[in-house]
Amino acid sequence: MSQLALAHSSRSHPRNATRKLLLVGQPNVGKSLLFTRLTNRYATVSNYPGTTVEITSALAEFEGEIREVVDTPGTNTLAPQSNEERVTLDLLVDAHEADVVQVGDIGNLRRTLLLSLQLTEHEVPFTLCLNMSDEPHGHVVDVAALADLVGVPVVATSALRRWNIEKLKRHAIRPARSHVRIPYPEAVEQAIASMNGVSRAEALAIICSGDEVALAGAVAETRLRTADEIIAKVTTSERITRSRDTLGALCMHRVWGWPILALVLYTAWLFVGKLGAGTFVDFLEKTLFANYINPWATALIDFIAPFSFIHNLLVGEYGVVTMALTYAIAIILPVVVTFFTLFGILEDSGYLPRLAVMLHRTFRRMGLNGKAVLPMVLGLGCDTMATLTTRILESTKERVIVTILLALGVPCSAQLGVIMAMLGRLSLTAGAIWLSVTLATIFLVGYLAAKVVRGDSSDFIIEIPPMRVPRLSNIAIKVLARTEWYLKEAVPLFILGTLLLYVLDATHLLSIIQRALAPIVVGGLGLPAESANAFVIGFLRRDYGAAGLYTMQRGGALNANQTVIALTVISLFIPCVANLLVMIRERGMRTALAISAFIIAYAFGIGVVMNAAFRFFSVTLT
């Protein structure tokens, strides 16, 4: 029996007191933002029963009626190929107990209608929401004509501009079944008729996910032709500028895409490395904290509680104020804000999917496809969140490989900012060595993992949104939300790490750990003994460890050679405890611990090799 049939027969969901409203649609159609506009209140995030797939829900009022709005995982088809698509299908199985709103991109009406036709075949009543209606897309859609032709309510919206949200609320609770019927070729109809005990929609899903390529192709071709016939009747062309289309094509070009990528990276270095990690950090650390906050805090603590224990705990060498807050606010926060701002611009502009297309050939050599670029780019923001997004990859093999690469060679935004600040004080050669070793690690380990990890790679299918001019308000919302997440998630760990160092120092265990690690840190890596502190607390947060190295460099404790070695090791070091917990949750305890053990050995091994090479070839960096 098919997965669809099993879903119908084996899942039993009790009727809830509050009727659900499901938002269904392909990825990158603005579904999550629309969810925010409809609910405008605290959302609950939970795992769908029996899976690790997260779904978001919140209560909202529609014409005086309360609905539990559910933001379902993005799906391209109702013949599921991934866990996320299976969850969406399972939710739709009980669509008779819910109102369904299909969210689509009005700029890609054909793709939107392909999912509409599948909802029609499943006899699901739905309302069609054509989102992103404020953007130029080359055609004008007659919404009323489309509603008459398809037979369901159709509302054009812009979640970004909050346009027509109230109208959508009125129609969302009055869905209808579409009256479109698709006449398939005789061979497909015969195959459907031969499947006893399953519905027509289930039979079509079996055909689309089966081994009969000719039949699956006939189904896809018929659906495309039907969608095109509808589009021809409800759209008229309009003239729009082609400059953005040209730029979008150049971003994916196998030749011109690389200079554009180099320009993006150079801009990131100037904005994050120079402005964020340079100008802003210098002001907060040297002016605000060094001249005002830390002296005032020291004076206040000594006045209120003139005890050495309290003094050392709060404003001493490992003090909560002088170390934890200084690191978290003065050193890391400016880097986080500037990185999230840059990332928001790239995200809103539509560049990231084009980067995935351009790097597809390179990633294919590692057993991956271009989709792997997205979680790895997200890893530059936070490896923990990026590990969760590996769910967008279809095969287990791809998820395991990307999890390894994220944990090993992709520094998070805060750590990357500190690294860039430290490299900014060195020569271009020093920076090139760090970058070359890190990139070589990613490709070497990825290539070897593709040979070792069992399983098949998936096909590369990705939606390319139009190039857009990023909106300041949208970027500001994202930056504020992500910064709030950083402050809630990171600052407590910084304080915990500082307290741990304080306890280790007070009990003299820190010196014992330094002596235990001396053969590796001092003898193998050629670093000062106190740099072991960075690796100890780096497990709590890698950016915290990097901040410790940053302080040592500023104090003259690390020369250029030692800085490059230390940065390479901390970049490749074991992920923070939060990322480790997510790895255990996503990949399992055994796999996560194996990955962590490999990373520790590899990171220190690379550092030892670099130190030996520098000495053998008499390399002296500046």
Side-chain angles (χ1 to χ4, degrees):
M1 188 179 291
S2 73
Q3 290 174 335
L4 248 66
L6 284 173
H8 277 285
S9 61
S10 65
R11 286 197 177 272
S12 177
H13 301 275
R15 182 180 298 273
N16 295 327
T18 303
R19 187 175 176 87
K20 287 184 171 61
L21 188 144
L22 307 180
L23 298 181
V24 179
Q26 290 107 335
N28 302 317
V29 296
K31 186 160 52 65
S32 295
L33 181 57
L34 187 66
F35 169 85
T36 303
R37 299 301 190 217
L38 290 173
T39 58
N40 197 29
R41 65 182 65 192
Y42 179 76
T44 300
V45 180
S46 59
N47 282 358
Y48 188 74
T51 73
T52 59
V53 178
E54 291 182 344
I55 57 175
T56 307
S57 62
L59 298 178
E61 185 176 337
F62 294 77
E63 295 287 287
E65 299 181 22
I66 301 299
R67 293 287 191 274
E68 180 187 358
V69 184
V70 179
D71 183 10
T72 67
T75 182
N76 289 298
T77 175
L78 296 185
Q81 304 297 320
S82 66
N83 290 336
E84 287 73 15
E85 291 179 341
R86 290 186 182 93
V87 167
T88 299
L89 177 61
D90 287 342
L91 289 166
L92 282 171
V93 164
D94 284 338
H96 61 280
E97 298 181 355
D99 300 318
V100 177
V101 175
Q102 183 203 346
V103 185
D105 180 2
I106 195 173
N108 197 335
L109 194 55
R110 175 195 248 193
R111 177 175 178 245
T112 298
L113 289 177
L114 287 177
L115 186 58
S116 302
L117 294 175
Q118 293 177 69
L119 289 171
T120 298
E121 290 171 340
H122 280 273
E123 298 184 352
V124 174
F126 67 99
T127 299
L128 178 57
C129 169
L130 298 179
N131 198 26
M132 304 181 182
S133 297
D134 58 320
E135 298 179 357
H137 40 71
H139 57 257
V140 176
V141 179
D142 187 335
V143 174
L146 180 60
D148 290 339
L149 191 60
V150 178
V152 302
V154 181
V155 182
T157 65
S158 171
L160 186 61
R161 294 177 176 267
R162 303 175 185 266
W163 179 65
N164 260 0
I165 300 299
E166 292 303 319
K167 182 178 180 180
L168 176 62
K169 282 188 171 183
R170 292 195 298 271
H171 288 280
I173 58 176
R174 299 178 179 87
R177 284 189 174 88
S178 172
H179 50 59
V180 174
R181 294 296 177 263
I182 306 176
Y184 287 104
E186 184 178 351
V188 175
E189 294 292 348
Q190 290 177 352
I192 294 173
S194 67
M195 299 183 193
N196 298 321
V198 299
S199 68
R200 181 180 179 84
E202 293 167 354
L204 286 167
I206 295 172
I207 292 172
C208 291
S209 58
D211 297 328
E212 293 291 336
V213 178
L215 288 178
V219 171
E221 183 179 349
T222 305
R223 286 173 176 169
L224 283 171
R225 184 170 60 251
T226 304
D228 288 341
E229 290 173 355
I230 295 173
I231 292 171
K233 296 176 181 178
V234 301
T235 62
T236 55
S237 299
E238 66 174 356
R239 293 186 62 186
I240 61 171
T241 177
R242 294 296 174 188
S243 58
R244 294 181 194 173
D245 292 344
T246 302
L247 177 60
L250 289 175
C251 290
M252 296 183 289
H253 197 273
R254 63 177 59 187
V255 175
W256 296 109
W258 293 103
I260 292 176
L261 175 59
L263 179 61
V264 170
L265 294 176
Y266 179 67
T267 303
W269 179 70
L270 290 178
F271 188 66
V272 180
K274 289 295 185 181
L275 182 63
T279 305
F280 292 163
V281 168
D282 285 345
F283 170 75
L284 289 176
E285 183 191 18
K286 294 181 179 180
T287 302
L288 190 60
F289 272 77
N291 296 336
Y292 297 99
I293 295 179
N294 287 344
W296 289 352
T298 301
L300 180 63
I301 294 302
D302 290 342
F303 177 77
I304 296 176
F307 307 105
S308 60
F309 167 73
I310 300 297
H311 174 94
N312 293 336
L313 178 64
L314 298 178
V315 293
E317 181 181 3
Y318 301 113
V320 171
V321 177
T322 50
M323 175 176 264
L325 295 185
T326 300
Y327 279 18
I329 306 300
I331 296 177
I332 306 299
L333 183 60
V335 176
V336 167
V337 173
T338 50
F339 177 85
F340 284 156
T341 301
L342 177 69
F343 188 81
I345 293 172
L346 295 177
E347 200 174 27
D348 271 24
S349 67
Y351 176 72
L352 294 183
R354 289 168 171 80
L355 180 63
V357 172
M358 192 186 73
L359 295 180
H360 172 63
R361 291 177 179 269
T362 303
F363 275 73
R364 178 56 73 185
R365 297 172 184 172
M366 296 188 290
L368 304 171
N369 62 44
K371 277 188 180 179
V373 173
L374 301 180
M376 293 186 71
V377 171
L378 286 174
L380 296 174
C382 172
D383 283 326
T384 303
M385 291 189 297
T387 302
L388 289 172
T389 64
T390 58
R391 297 171 181 175
I392 69 172
L393 305 176
E394 280 78 8
S395 72
T396 301
K397 176 179 181 177
E398 292 169 333
R399 293 172 184 170
V400 171
I401 293 175
V402 173
T403 299
I404 294 172
L405 298 182
L406 283 169
L408 176 64
V410 181
C412 66
S413 61
Q415 184 190 22
L416 181 61
V418 177
I419 291 171
M420 294 173 72
M422 295 177 68
L423 291 175
R425 297 173 173 270
L426 305 179
S427 65
L428 186 62
T429 302
I433 291 175
W434 171 82
L435 182 62
S436 298
V437 173
T438 304
L439 291 179
T441 289
I442 291 175
F443 289 111
L444 175 62
V445 173
Y447 177 79
L448 295 177
K451 303 295 183 183
V452 174
V453 179
R454 296 179 180 179
D456 298 321
S457 300
S458 62
D459 295 328
F460 179 49
I461 302 174
I462 189 171
E463 172 67 15
I464 305 297
M467 292 293 285
R468 306 183 180 102
V469 177
R471 296 186 182 277
L472 182 60
S473 59
N474 201 27
I475 295 172
I477 292 172
K478 292 180 179 180
V479 172
L480 287 174
R482 289 165 177 168
T483 302
E484 179 185 11
W485 167 85
Y486 162 78
L487 292 173
K488 290 180 178 179
E489 196 267 355
V491 174
L493 286 177
F494 273 42
I495 295 174
L496 177 62
T498 301
L499 292 175
L500 175 62
L501 282 177
Y502 174 79
V503 172
L504 292 176
D505 181 61
T507 57
H508 305 291
L509 288 175
L510 191 59
S511 59
I512 296 175
I513 293 174
Q514 289 177 353
R515 287 195 297 270
L517 293 177
I520 298 176
V521 174
V522 179
L525 303 180
L527 302 177
E530 58 267 26
S531 60
N533 299 354
F535 301 112
V536 172
I537 65 175
F539 176 65
L540 291 173
R541 277 192 66 92
R542 283 196 295 187
D543 51 323
Y544 195 3
L549 296 175
Y550 175 83
T551 303
M552 290 181 63
Q553 185 200 38
R554 294 282 287 268
L558 295 176
N559 60 34
N561 284 29
Q562 291 173 324
T563 299
V564 173
I565 293 172
L567 289 181
T568 302
V569 175
I570 200 72
S571 298
L572 304 177
F573 195 59
I574 186 172
C576 65
V577 63
N579 193 14
L580 178 61
L581 292 175
V582 170
M583 286 170 55
I584 293 173
R585 172 183 168 186
E586 295 292 307
R587 306 279 85 88
M589 177 71 75
R590 183 176 179 181
T591 301
L593 294 181
I595 291 173
S596 300
F598 165 74
I599 288 172
I600 293 174
Y602 186 91
F604 282 114
I606 286 293
V608 170
V609 171
M610 290 179 66
N611 183 41
F614 285 166
R615 291 182 177 181
F616 182 80
F617 294 104
S618 301
V619 176
T620 303
L621 301 173
T622 57

